[in-house]
Amino acid sequence: MNRVLVPGLVAAALCAMGVTAYLWIMQPAAADGAPPARVVDIAEGTTFKQVASLLARERLIRSQWGFLLLGRLTAADRRVPAGEYEIHAGMTPAEILSKLLNGQVVLHQVTIPEGYTAIQVAELLGQKGLVDPQEFLRLVYDREFIRTLNLEVDGLEGYLFPDTYRFPRHARPGEIVQAMVSATLQVLTPELRARAEEINMSLHQVLTLASVVEKETGVDAERELVASVFHNRLRRHIPLQSDPTVIYGLPSFNGNLRKRDLASASPYNTYRFAGLPPGPIANPGAASIKAVLYPAPSRFLYFVSRNDGTHEFSASLADHNRAVAKYQPRRPNRTGSRPLS
């Protein structure tokens, strides 16, 4: 055989073997169908080589070497964004690499109920494994951080919009807080901001009163009436006398509001101090915010629970006392001007 031909044939054979090996490596680790997906958690600072090793160890790729080669050939052998990635062995290495480099991480859904306080929000996020509750609350009351959100308030209670969110496991607490605050500011449309100016309320005051309305009723049809009671009281300089504001200002609460609690010196004690409390007592939803800005036209100054989730509204003290006797016969009416049951 021609001595020149032999090396060429060998080179061609080696090339063919190399191509075959590469094509084999670039196939899914599991050829039959799409096996159940697995969540791979890539920590912050993990190198591309470490990622390849992890994928090989989990049998999601056929070859660690082949994945590293793919990364070099596509100039993608850099650090992968941290996070949880849902991957199955039916994906090709190229598909896996694309998912990693695009940061297509697993998103965890969490629903923040209307009327939750910042503490409750932090606890819920902590239960979902999304934040350290203590760090979340630290940011909620960090004045320097709050200023980065273009807000001049002492805390973000009332600004953490209750909604359904989807966050990655490794999201920074500040990113989560910012998302919730942004949602609140989006709800406060230019129209609603103009309305707040029209009725001489700052956005902080709107959120404060909306949080009280939120805690007083869960019935959508009543929100505007409850808001009207508080607006009427504010106009007449009558204390709001709202139990939820008093409870918010207590260092601890066991479910029983006592007479001495109503005499506390807390600035949130709206039995003792007239006007709005210094800030929101919870995080209100859009319906309560709009109710404060567009309260129902009424002369009501009082309301009492009917024990079915709804309330009886009254414009006079005599009517209110009759309603209390009817719906709350065993509960003393602690003050004549008290609007709540």
Side-chain angles (χ1 to χ4, degrees), residues 231-265:
H231 273 294
N232 291 340
R233 284 181 161 254
L234 288 170
R235 275 194 295 270
R236 298 190 185 193
H237 303 290
I238 301 172
L240 298 185
Q241 296 186 313
S242 168
D243 284 4
T245 66
V246 178
I247 293 169
Y248 186 82
L250 297 176
S252 62
F253 181 63
N254 63 4
N256 180 33
L257 193 62
R258 299 160 298 184
K259 185 175 181 180
R260 69 175 184 229
D261 295 330
L262 301 180
S264 70

Side-chain angles (χ1 to χ4, degrees), residues 10-320:
V10 172
L14 290 174
C15 182
M17 291 173 60
V19 169
T20 300
Y22 179 77
L23 291 176
W24 180 82
I25 289 169
M26 292 301 107
Q27 293 300 308
D32 299 328
R38 279 180 256 170
V39 174
V40 176
D41 193 353
I42 297 177
E44 190 73 42
T46 302
T47 65
F48 192 81
K49 184 177 181 180
Q50 290 169 329
V51 170
S53 175
L54 173 62
L55 294 175
R57 190 166 59 250
E58 294 292 330
R59 297 184 179 180
L60 293 168
I61 56 175
R62 292 186 172 186
S63 166
Q64 176 182 344
W65 171 86
F67 195 77
L68 287 171
L69 177 60
L70 177 63
R72 292 194 180 95
L73 290 175
T74 58
D77 52 340
R78 59 182 185 271
R79 289 186 177 180
V80 173
E84 294 176 322
Y85 293 86
E86 195 172 68
I87 299 172
H88 62 77
M91 298 171 66
T92 67
E95 290 172 335
I96 295 173
L97 181 61
S98 176
K99 189 167 196 173
L100 295 176
L101 296 181
N102 289 325
Q104 297 175 4
V105 297
V106 175
L107 298 177
H108 297 270
Q109 182 170 300
V110 58
T111 298
I112 308 300
E114 296 173 345
Y116 259 35
T117 64
I119 290 176
Q120 290 174 309
V121 173
E123 290 174 347
L124 179 57
L125 292 172
Q127 291 167 7
K128 294 285 186 177
L130 293 171
V131 298
D132 174 356
Q134 295 296 329
E135 175 61 15
F136 182 87
L137 285 174
R138 185 190 70 77
L139 289 175
V140 166
Y141 295 101
D142 184 329
R143 292 294 300 275
E144 288 188 15
F145 172 74
I146 293 172
R147 277 195 289 268
T148 67
L149 304 177
N150 296 318
L151 292 172
E152 289 295 334
V153 292
D154 294 329
L156 294 174
E157 185 79 90
Y159 293 82
L160 306 173
F161 191 68
D163 202 352
T164 296
Y165 297 91
R166 291 169 62 83
F167 295 120
R169 180 77 66 194
H170 294 282
R172 293 181 173 86
E175 294 171 340
I176 294 179
V177 173
Q178 184 175 16
M180 294 181 174
V181 172
S182 294
T184 293
L185 298 179
Q186 287 174 11
V187 167
L188 292 166
T189 62
E191 176 190 349
L192 296 185
R193 292 169 188 258
R195 174 61 178 169
E197 291 184 9
E198 183 182 331
I199 61 175
N200 297 314
M201 293 186 77
S202 68
L203 295 183
H204 191 69
Q205 290 173 326
V206 169
L207 292 175
T208 297
L209 187 52
S211 71
V212 180
V213 172
E214 191 70 69
K215 297 298 283 186
E216 290 288 7
T217 183
V219 180
D220 285 341
E222 287 191 348
R223 295 183 197 277
E224 294 178 2
L225 284 172
V226 172
S228 75
V229 168
F230 290 131
H231 273 294
N232 291 340
R233 284 181 161 254
L234 288 170
R235 275 194 295 270
R236 298 190 185 193
H237 303 290
I238 301 172
L240 298 185
Q241 296 186 313
S242 168
D243 284 4
T245 66
V246 178
I247 293 169
Y248 186 82
L250 297 176
S252 62
F253 181 63
N254 63 4
N256 180 33
L257 193 62
R258 299 160 298 184
K259 185 175 181 180
R260 69 175 184 229
D261 295 330
L262 301 180
S264 70
S266 164
Y268 290 91
N269 185 352
T270 54
Y271 283 86
R272 183 169 179 177
F273 302 104
L276 290 171
I281 62 170
N283 294 283
S288 291
I289 293 172
K290 291 177 181 176
V292 166
L293 292 168
Y294 296 96
S298 84
R299 296 185 299 108
F300 294 140
L301 292 171
Y302 314 89
F303 57 90
V304 64
S305 172
R306 295 191 183 111
N307 300 314
D308 63 358
T310 66
H311 295 83
E312 182 79 11
F313 294 83
S314 304
S316 71
L317 178 57
D319 287 344
H320 175 61

